[in-house]
């Protein structure tokens, strides 16, 4: 019965993640991806449990093993400057 309760709790967490646009890719590793755009093309951005920020991107239609690191400054950011 405790396992049933834990499974229900996990399903609730996955549903909340999906409502935020996340896709649970590997529960054991805590790997999550979010669909987005990079330089005008559709990509997935990836995050892993224990990391503060997104750590990689991969083409939308690629295999999950085709990942590229996100380096500081590699993705254009809106700094809020309206000049």
């Amino acid at each position: 019965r405790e396992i049933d309760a834990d499974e229900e709790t996990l399903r609730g967490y996955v549903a909340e993640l999906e409502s935020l646009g996340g896709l649970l890719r590997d529960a054991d590793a805590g790997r999550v991806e979010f669909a987005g755009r990079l330089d005008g093309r559709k990509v997935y951005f990836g995050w892993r449990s224990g990391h503060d920020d997104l750590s990689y991107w991969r083409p939308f239609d690629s295999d999950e093993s085709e990942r590229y690191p996100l380096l500081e400054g590699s993705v254009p950011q809106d700094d809020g400057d309206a000049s």
Side-chain angles (χ1 to χ4, degrees):
R1 301 227 184 268
E2 188 173 328
I3 289 176
D4 292 338
D6 289 345
E7 286 178 354
E8 184 61 32
T9 299
L10 181 58
R11 278 193 291 276
Y13 290 146
V14 170
E16 182 178 359
L17 176 65
E18 289 173 350
S19 77
L20 297 170
L23 302 167
L24 181 62
R25 295 297 192 190
D26 184 336
D28 292 332
R31 196 165 56 81
V32 175
E33 291 186 330
F34 298 87
R37 291 200 171 272
L38 179 64
D39 296 330
R41 63 182 181 170
K42 291 171 72 173
V43 299
Y44 284 113
F45 293 102
W47 176 84
R48 178 171 249 146
S49 180
H51 293 204
D52 291 334
D53 298 310
L54 297 172
S55 57
Y56 70 87
W57 69 274
R58 69 177 181 90
F60 196 78
D61 58 354
S62 72
D63 182 89
E64 289 183 37
S65 65
E66 187 181 343
R67 297 183 212 143
Y68 301 94
L70 275 174
L71 305 174
E72 188 172 329
S74 67
V75 178
Q77 307 237 340
D78 180 2
D79 63 6
D81 186 3
S83 55

